[in-house]
Amino acid sequence: MSVQVEYIDYNETIQSAKLPIEKDIYQVITPIVKKVEANNQTEIERYVEIALHDERLSNIITKRYSQKEMLEIIRLYQRMVKEIMVEDISSHSKC
């Protein structure tokens, strides 16, 4: 089984990934880099936006994650994948 990913190009540098969850429900992951002007200063905002789309309800839930938060989430995913690896399961089970 492979993950079905559809890439969506916004411009030459920004590309989102659309991941289906189930019929009419999908997740869109977008890296965001934008300039923000406040108090005569220009700052660069960098974050990853994850949007959960439910077309049945015409609903979108959006969450922004900093680089540090995304790295923590990736480490969590890696740890979870290690937990379910075949070698680990066979060594832990005593059937």
Side-chain angles (χ1 to χ4, degrees):
M1 184 174 149
S2 65
V3 176
Q4 296 178 347
V5 177
E6 176 185 336
Y7 290 99
I8 306 163
D9 291 324
Y10 286 110
N11 58 42
E12 300 81 38
T13 58
I14 302 292
Q15 187 179 55
S16 292
K18 179 179 174 182
L19 296 121
I21 296 172
E22 61 181 58
K23 187 176 180 346
D24 299 325
I25 299 176
Y26 57 92
Q27 179 174 294
V28 176
I29 304 169
T30 307
I32 305 287
V33 178
K34 67 180 182 179
K35 289 183 183 179
V36 177
E37 306 242 356
N39 300 327
N40 294 327
Q41 291 184 352
T42 302
E43 293 185 11
I44 305 290
E45 278 190 355
R46 299 171 191 271
Y47 56 91
V48 175
E49 181 178 273
I50 299 179
L52 186 61
H53 294 255
D54 185 341
E55 292 182 349
R56 297 172 299 185
L57 302 173
S58 298
N59 195 20
I60 301 172
I61 300 169
T62 303
K63 174 74 173 136
R64 293 178 178 180
Y65 295 95
S66 68
Q67 180 181 7
K68 182 180 178 185
E69 291 170 318
M70 283 306 300
L71 291 171
E72 288 175 16
I73 291 168
I74 290 166
R75 283 193 289 274
L76 173 66
Y77 284 156
Q78 289 174 328
R79 194 178 85 234
M80 296 297 170
V81 168
K82 287 179 183 176
E83 289 290 324
I84 63 170
M85 288 176 56
V86 174
E87 300 101 35
D88 290 345
I89 293 173
S90 62
S91 66
H92 290 302
S93 65
K94 295 181 179 180
C95 297

